[in-house]
């Protein structure tokens, strides 16, 4: 951010397809938490976005509840940030449709996520998957967000949201603020432990690829101990050492130590000792989250009151922009 002291509007979302990963946590949620003290923050579960792939309804319902509690357990405080569930705020789908009409076929065809997901699910390349960035643009633009804190993989989607906003403003006047990405230099792309050439992902089917925020300590340790690395022994950051680079990044983000400090700390100790230390650091980082999550899951009444209130406030805020859009377009109000 530009260092100005005034409060900014921060918005970001996450799909509740499955339990959040360490990648989601380091790449996005840690920043969300950090930003909530000094800014007006809106964070939500992007459940409408999950409909672009097929999930069991029962599974989606359970994961949405589990992950709503997980947002709070990770430190997002309902008294500080507005936390809500996308499908409970009808302005998103409505603005999403309108913005689809201001998004070009050519730009959507260039989206890497669309290309990747089409390859992953060749049997279900639906229109929602293609138009996904228009709904995401609506999510962002409805709240007049200044910054969108995400991992590296969402940069292209934020750029298209900016293009859509500029196009719309060009035609109808200043309706939307132009949002900027907020992506950390370090940790914006955490890689799979099983295959460090690939991004750590919630949907990874490899049992030891992603570390999940609710994994038990012994599972976390097992995943780190079996993390894929090269045939070397020195804990040094460098080219061709994707596995070690990834572990160093994780360790650095969790302990706030620089690469130089880490290299010094593990000099002459070999990969085994380092993997164990990373596992331990991650276990300690996630322990309070898992415990708080367990406690929250028993308090269904509190959770429900949080998401109901969140949806109500989000609706009131987003409706202002939607009304402006509709008026500008000539929709009879
Ligand atoms: P999603 O659910 O895939 O991921 C949520 C957030 O986690 C980040 N992330 C990662 N960061 C570092 N390393 C990784 N391996 C890693 N994997 C995921 C993502 O960059 C993201 O910030 N389209 C979005 C959800 C969304 C959204 C929005 C985000 C819908 N509407 C509006 C921002 C604003 C998504 O699928 O994120």
């Amino acid at each position: 951010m530009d260092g100005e002291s005034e409060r900014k509007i921060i918005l970001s979302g996450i799909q509740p397809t499955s339990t959040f990963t360490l990648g989601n946590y380091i790449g996005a949620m840690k920043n969300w938490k950090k930003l909530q003290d000094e800014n007006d923050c809106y964070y939500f579960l992007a459940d409408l976005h999950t409909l672009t792939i097929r999930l069991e309804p029962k599974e989606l319902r359970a994961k949405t509840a589990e992950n709503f509690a997980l947002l709070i357990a990770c430190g997002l405080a309902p008294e500080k940030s507005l936390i809500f569930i996308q499908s409970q705020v009808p302005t998103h789908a409505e603005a999403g449709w309108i913005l689809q009409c201001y998004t070009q076929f050519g730009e959507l065809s260039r989206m890497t996520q669309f290309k990747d997901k089409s390859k992953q699910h060749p049997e279900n390349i639906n229109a929602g998957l293609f138009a996904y960035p228009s709904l995401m643009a609506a999510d962002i633009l409805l709240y007049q967000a200044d910054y969108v804190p995400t991992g590296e993989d969402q940069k292209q989607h934020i750029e298209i949201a900016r293009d859509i906003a500029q196009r719309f403003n060009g035609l109808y006047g200043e309706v939307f603020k132009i949002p900027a990405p907020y992506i950390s230099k370090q940790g914006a792309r955490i890689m799979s432990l099983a295959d460090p050439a690939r991004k750590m992902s919630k949907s990874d089917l490899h049992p030891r690829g992603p570390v999940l925020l609710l994994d038990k300590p012994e599972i976390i340790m097992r995943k780190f101990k079996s993390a894929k690395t090269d045939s070397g022994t020195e804990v040094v950051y460098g080219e061709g050492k994707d596995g070690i680079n990834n572990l160093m990044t994780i360790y650095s983000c969790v302990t706030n130590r620089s690469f130089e400090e880490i290299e010094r700390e593990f000099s002459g100790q070999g990969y085994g000792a380092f993997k164990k230390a990373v596992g331990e650091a991650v276990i300690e980082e996630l322990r309070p989250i898992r415990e708080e999550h367990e406690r929250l899951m028993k308090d269904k009444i509190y959770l429900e009151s949080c998401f109901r209130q969140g949806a109500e406030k989000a609706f009131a805020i987003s409706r202002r922009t939607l009304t402006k859009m509709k008026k500008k377009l000539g929709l009879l109000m």
Side-chain angles (χ1 to χ4, degrees), residues 60-318:
L60 176 59
R61 206 172 297 123
K63 282 294 164 200
T64 305
E66 174 193 292
N67 284 325
F68 189 79
L70 196 45
L71 289 178
I72 301 176
C74 282
L76 301 184
E79 321 78 64
K80 292 185 191 166
S81 298
L82 185 50
I83 311 173
F84 62 95
I85 299 171
Q86 185 190 30
S87 66
Q88 298 183 349
V89 187
T91 43
H92 289 245
E94 202 176 340
W97 167 256
I98 295 175
L99 294 184
Q100 274 185 52
C101 303
Y102 293 82
T103 315
Q104 297 303 304
F105 182 89
E107 20 180 32
L108 290 175
S109 315
R110 286 193 290 275
M111 294 291 117
T112 48
Q113 183 173 297
F114 172 67
K115 291 188 216 159
D116 291 348
K117 293 231 165 137
S118 310
K119 265 192 226 138
Q120 268 171 31
H121 303 279
E123 75 298 341
N124 183 25
I125 306 178
N126 58 70
L129 190 64
F130 189 64
Y132 183 113
S134 305
L135 179 59
M136 183 160 156
D139 299 336
I140 299 169
L141 302 177
L142 276 173
Y143 297 84
Q144 308 289 347
D146 292 289
Y147 291 101
V148 186
T150 66
E152 175 68 36
D153 61 340
Q154 295 302 314
K155 193 162 174 230
Q156 200 183 26
H157 288 157
I158 302 172
E159 275 160 11
I160 195 174
R162 287 167 62 90
D163 293 342
I164 295 169
Q166 267 152 356
R167 183 171 304 141
F168 199 95
N169 285 355
L171 290 165
Y172 304 105
E174 292 303 302
V175 177
F176 300 125
K177 199 184 278 173
I178 309 301
Y182 181 99
I183 299 171
S184 292
K185 282 199 193 74
Q186 208 183 33
R189 192 173 173 81
I190 299 295
M191 310 310 277
S192 155
L193 297 190
D195 178 3
R198 287 183 26 216
K199 191 185 71 172
M200 185 180 284
S201 156
K202 290 186 219 96
S203 52
D204 188 350
L205 296 177
H206 195 294
R208 288 189 310 280
V211 174
L212 307 182
L213 298 191
L214 298 176
D215 277 347
K216 297 238 158 52
E218 57 276 18
I219 303 282
I220 298 178
M221 187 50 89
R222 205 178 305 150
K223 288 180 179 175
F224 277 102
K225 279 191 173 163
S226 65
K228 193 168 170 212
T229 42
D230 58 274
S231 57
T233 50
E234 272 300 296
V235 179
V236 190
Y237 197 92
E239 219 172 294
K241 293 165 68 76
D242 294 351
I244 283 295
N245 294 348
N246 189 39
L247 293 177
M248 286 180 75
T249 303
I250 293 172
Y251 193 66
S252 171
C253 289
V254 170
T255 63
N256 286 323
R257 270 171 243 186
S258 68
F259 286 161
E260 294 78 49
E261 285 171 313
I262 298 171
E263 287 171 4
R264 234 176 292 131
E265 186 182 344
F266 292 95
S267 164
Q269 292 196 45
Y271 287 174
F274 179 54
K275 287 181 183 177
K276 191 156 166 272
V278 185
E280 275 161 8
V282 170
I283 288 170
E284 288 321 311
E285 176 84 8
L286 299 186
R287 189 188 302 281
I289 296 176
R290 205 183 63 252
E291 288 172 0
E292 177 63 1
H293 183 262
E294 208 176 307
R295 196 187 66 71
L296 281 166
M297 285 305 278
K298 292 187 193 125
D299 199 347
K300 298 270 182 297
I301 295 175
Y302 172 71
L303 290 173
E304 189 168 332
S305 78
C306 289
F307 66 67
R308 296 256 174 263
Q309 277 176 33
E312 226 171 87
K313 287 189 204 153
F315 181 65
I317 296 168
S318 56

